[in-house]
Amino acid sequence: MRGVVMYGPGDVRVVERDEPHIVEPTDAVIRLTATCICGSDLWPYRGAEPADGLPMGHEYVGVVEEVGSAVETVKPGDFVIGSFVISDGTCDICRAGYPSRCVHAQFVHGTIGTQSDRARIPYADGTLVATPGMPDDDLVPSLLAASDVLGTGWFAAVAAEAGPGKTVAVVGDGAVGLLGILAARELGAERIIAMSRHADRQALAREFGATDIVEERGDDGVARIKELTDGLGAHSVIEAVGTQESMMQAIRSTRPGGHVGYVGVSHDVQLPGDELFFSQVHLHGGPAPVRRFLPDLIDRIWKRQIDPGKVFDLELPLADAAAGYTAMDQRRAIKVLLRP
Ligand SMILES: [Zn+2]
């Protein structure tokens, strides 16, 4: 089968990979209907993480072809969506709502790699969720978004305690930040401030529910958030970038007693203890427990209540994956959908 492999910074190729097979009785093998390129795939692409023969891709929707003897909740022919982290669904950590840190957790990125024709998914019951039937084709991008970017934006909004009466600020205008806006709106936030300086992303932010746009960043961005919130800062701040600047911008934009939900993959972030001490903000984040939210997110998409698939602004055949990486690296595309 074909699959995308990254051999070094800027070097992604579609190559022949081994066909997946059932190995454990808890496995499923799926044929990918759609997959995509994630903002986090750009870290190794830009040389910020090692890439030496990495099977790429961790977002996926597809049709089950085969299941192991112990799989109970999905069967051949089902259309399924899975989390970007494998989870058993049964350990104490999973049952507490943190499947992305399951005792059997395995990142799909770099191991399974779903920018491919087919994939073996371990712990199928704890990782995959079947849709009520075969989706209409126009729902596929939104269902695919649930696999990571929507689920991650949703977790960020939940971790930041977005809800009625709250002002939510969002640091980062990539797909996750934009879907954090959508999540905050769905959770009932009163006011949502998007931090973005790109006209196309601002437009999508407004469509997803942003009520205000702040173009400034860093200390200037913090000052603008305070101006908009009676000098106090936002109740809830979503951090969806992962750099020192974005993390400090998020913490400093949050009022005392407020909450930061941080989901940008952290790279060399150092938090100053004294500032953290006196900021008196709650910090919660990490790899999103997407599997916890999947049934609810699928339901909202199935009822056409939300349309997170709008973050995909470029669609390419899997064979042209390299062009998709280039487009995202140059920020010509927000998010690229790949069709095997
Ligand atoms: Zn578990």
Side-chain angles (χ1 to χ4, degrees), residues 134-160:
M134 285 305 281
D136 293 337
D137 199 53
D138 69 315
L139 285 182
V140 168
S142 287
L143 293 166
L144 175 62
S147 185
D148 178 358
V149 278
L150 172 61
T152 295
W154 200 274
F155 171 57
V158 168

Side-chain angles (χ1 to χ4, degrees), residues 239-297:
E239 191 287 322
V241 183
T243 62
Q244 180 72 22
E245 183 189 38
S246 62
M247 192 67 180
M248 293 317 298
Q249 191 174 319
I251 291 169
R252 291 171 181 160
S253 299
T254 309
R255 68 178 59 191
H259 295 75
V260 177
Y262 60 97
V263 293
V265 181
S266 185
H267 282 77
D268 300 321
V269 175
Q270 306 279 332
L271 300 182
D274 53 346
E275 185 175 345
L276 202 56
F277 184 82
F278 287 104
S279 72
Q280 207 142 35
V281 301
H282 301 76
L283 297 179
H284 186 34
V290 167
R291 180 63 176 76
R292 186 208 306 178
F293 303 115
L294 274 181
D296 176 39
L297 298 179

Side-chain angles (χ1 to χ4, degrees), residues 119-137:
R120 167 185 166 244
I121 306 296
Y123 295 104
D125 285 330
T127 304
L128 301 172
V129 178
T131 55
M134 285 305 281
D136 293 337
D137 199 53

Side-chain angles (χ1 to χ4, degrees), residues 53-136:
L54 276 185
M56 299 301 294
H58 54 268
E59 299 158 279
Y60 54 101
V61 293
V63 177
V64 177
E65 287 193 329
E66 201 183 340
V67 296
S69 58
V71 174
E72 293 178 348
T73 60
V74 299
K75 60 184 187 305
D78 282 353
F79 190 91
V80 292
I81 299 138
S83 163
F84 67 95
V85 187
I86 302 301
S87 53
D88 60 17
T90 56
C91 74
D92 276 1
I93 306 296
C94 280
R95 283 188 291 129
Y98 289 88
S100 51
R101 290 299 314 279
C102 172
V103 299
H104 292 117
Q106 175 190 349
F107 280 91
V108 173
H109 165 83
T111 60
I112 297 165
T114 51
Q115 288 165 9
S116 59
D117 287 315
R118 300 167 76 225
R120 167 185 166 244
I121 306 296
Y123 295 104
D125 285 330
T127 304
L128 301 172
V129 178
T131 55
M134 285 305 281
D136 293 337

Side-chain angles (χ1 to χ4, degrees), residues 158-238:
V158 168
E161 303 220 334
K166 299 281 185 75
T167 293
V168 180
V170 181
V171 181
D173 64 358
V176 170
L178 291 166
L179 291 171
I181 292 168
L182 179 149
R185 182 197 69 196
E186 288 291 302
L187 293 168
E190 184 174 305
R191 191 175 186 193
I192 304 170
I193 306 168
M195 305 188 87
S196 171
R197 49 177 64 178
H198 300 91
D200 53 336
R201 293 166 192 242
Q202 290 174 2
L204 196 49
R206 288 209 184 268
E207 200 176 329
F208 283 155
T211 53
D212 301 82
I213 304 282
V214 166
E215 295 205 343
E216 295 85 349
R217 336 183 143 172
D219 292 343
D220 293 341
V222 173
R224 275 296 288 150
I225 298 288
K226 293 224 165 134
E227 264 175 50
L228 292 168
T229 53
D230 298 325
L232 300 177
H235 299 95
S236 304
V237 179
I238 290 172

